[in-house]
Amino acid sequence: MEFVHKSVLLNEVIEGLDIKENGTYVDGTLGGAGHAMHVCEKLGKDGRFIGIDQDEDAIEASTKRLEKYGDIVTIVRNNYSDMTQVMDELGVSGVDGITLDLGVSSFQLDTAERGFSYRLDAPLDMRMDNRQPLSAETVVNEYSENELFHIIKNYGEDKFAKNIAKHIVIERQESPILTTKRLAEIVDHAIPMKMKKQGGHPAKRTFQAIRIEVNHELDVLEKNINDMIDLLNPGGRFCIITFHSLEDRIVKNAFRTAQNPCVCPSDFPVCVCGRKSKGKIITRKPILPTEEEIEGNPRSKSAKLRIFEHN
């Protein structure tokens, strides 16, 4: 199956990066190289593009698609959490733009055996990096009822989290829960009938929550935004696309703190904490997909783009 992923907010990201012909640009979630190809198109022979992804299939697909750009492209299989280390190893001291697209790719969702989709029957997996030991099967079958409750409540924001966790534990006592289909059915039975018509598929939030736990998505994002901002050269831009409120809140707060890190009490006449601004937020409100984009790519509906510029 070909690695297909329709890049979300493509024009808005390319415009937001404000690409310099001889600049250095990093995509920390390379995927199928949708955004990357358009960045490379704008780079000259002295420009440089570095693509990072932890997904084996993404690395294979993007390597083929970016082959025509030759030596200006470097592709590394890693998590963007190690971006600073990757730049050190490549001898790159600063970059002019960074992109993160935090969505699950269409390829990951539509490839049944990856176990991301509640619509396709497959082994419970959900790993973006198949080298890691933790999978959805482990979470569902080995986490305590209380741990499952907190994951589904906090990461899935599902008000039926307690009942869903309870049903999962009851069912796994009968036999291990090994497939996406069985998990989706368990979640479906845990939600009251009258609520099933609201907010899409009943299992959507639970699958999101377990995926976030398996891949440590929020922890990785929260712990590494500042380090990535510090990689930017003066005038460098950081574009982050999020797909749910938890991610967006982390990005919004991190950008606000980077713009105004002062912790002095509001009644102080001057700042005495000595913390300096790292730059400015370009997007006062997040950029959203147009109705035309949503019509052509329904998965873009919840996307939000925020942009930060380094001093």
Side-chain angles (χ1 to χ4, degrees):
M1 181 177 173
E2 186 186 358
F3 195 108
V4 177
H5 181 60
K6 208 165 188 178
S7 296
V8 173
L9 293 164
L10 177 59
N11 295 330
E12 292 85 349
V13 167
I14 299 305
E15 185 179 332
L17 284 171
D18 193 23
I19 297 168
K20 303 168 189 170
E21 192 178 351
N22 62 345
T24 299
Y25 294 86
V26 183
D27 191 328
T29 50
L30 183 58
H35 291 106
M37 286 192 290
H38 288 77
V39 173
C40 291
E41 286 289 342
K42 291 182 171 290
L43 295 177
K45 59 181 175 57
D46 295 323
R48 186 166 189 188
F49 175 82
I50 300 158
I52 301 170
D53 206 293
Q54 60 184 326
D55 189 300
E56 182 180 24
D57 295 321
I59 291 293
E60 183 181 348
S62 57
T63 298
K64 288 177 184 175
R65 288 175 186 170
L66 298 176
E67 196 174 17
K68 62 182 178 180
Y69 299 105
D71 294 340
I72 70 167
V73 173
T74 304
I75 296 175
V76 179
R77 186 180 180 191
N78 208 325
N79 190 301
Y80 71 78
S81 63
D82 292 324
M83 191 180 291
T84 300
Q85 180 187 328
V86 169
M87 295 305 111
D88 285 344
E89 290 171 356
L90 295 175
V92 176
S93 57
V95 303
D96 300 292
I98 299 172
T99 305
L100 293 181
D101 175 346
L102 300 175
V104 182
S105 73
S106 299
F107 177 86
Q108 289 167 331
L109 287 169
D110 294 338
T111 305
E113 60 266 28
R114 297 298 298 271
F116 283 100
S117 177
Y118 44 80
R119 298 183 188 281
L120 304 170
D121 191 20
L124 270 175
D125 193 330
M126 301 193 198
R127 292 174 297 168
M128 291 183 178
D129 185 342
N130 60 15
R131 298 171 297 184
Q132 74 172 43
L134 183 65
S135 70
E137 181 185 321
T138 306
V139 172
V140 168
N141 290 285
E142 296 182 15
Y143 277 32
S144 70
E145 183 175 335
N146 194 47
E147 286 173 322
L148 288 170
F149 161 63
H150 283 291
I151 288 166
I152 297 166
K153 179 176 179 285
N154 295 331
Y155 295 165
E157 299 179 296
D158 197 313
K159 58 186 174 183
F160 299 107
K162 198 167 190 65
N163 207 34
I164 293 168
K166 180 183 175 183
H167 274 68
I168 288 172
V169 170
I170 290 170
E171 286 290 326
R172 77 189 190 191
Q173 287 170 352
E174 296 292 322
S175 62
I177 301 164
L178 304 177
T179 67
T180 53
K181 182 181 179 182
R182 186 165 174 225
L183 178 60
E185 287 172 349
I186 292 166
V187 176
D188 184 49
H189 292 147
I191 295 175
M193 183 65 72
K194 64 181 180 181
M195 303 303 295
K196 290 179 185 177
K197 295 177 183 177
Q198 303 175 16
H201 195 286
K204 181 178 181 180
R205 292 177 182 272
T206 298
F207 271 65
Q208 172 186 295
I210 293 170
R211 191 201 77 225
I212 288 172
E213 171 65 16
V214 168
N215 298 290
H216 309 295
E217 293 172 35
L218 300 183
D219 290 341
V220 168
L221 179 63
E222 194 161 23
K223 289 175 182 174
N224 292 283
I225 288 184
N226 280 323
D227 289 342
M228 288 185 279
I229 289 173
D230 290 341
L231 280 173
L232 293 169
N233 292 325
R237 296 276 185 92
F238 194 175
C239 295
I240 306 184
I241 302 172
T242 63
F243 286 84
H244 54 77
S245 59
L246 300 167
E247 290 173 337
D248 184 57
R249 198 176 305 134
I250 290 170
V251 175
K252 179 173 68 174
N253 291 338
F255 281 2
R256 277 181 179 171
T257 302
Q259 178 175 266
N260 181 21
C262 178
V263 293
C264 295
S266 57
D267 57 350
F268 273 31
V270 292
C271 173
V272 294
C273 72
R275 300 188 181 192
K276 304 293 184 186
S277 173
K278 294 182 179 182
K280 61 182 179 182
I281 296 168
I282 300 299
T283 47
R284 190 175 62 85
K285 290 185 176 181
I287 298 171
L288 307 177
T290 62
E291 288 184 17
E292 184 181 4
E293 178 172 4
I294 293 170
E295 191 175 328
N297 181 16
R299 286 175 178 162
S300 70
K301 186 177 181 180
S302 58
K304 293 180 179 178
L305 168 65
R306 293 186 186 269
I307 306 170
F308 185 86
E309 182 179 286
H310 204 287
N311 285 334

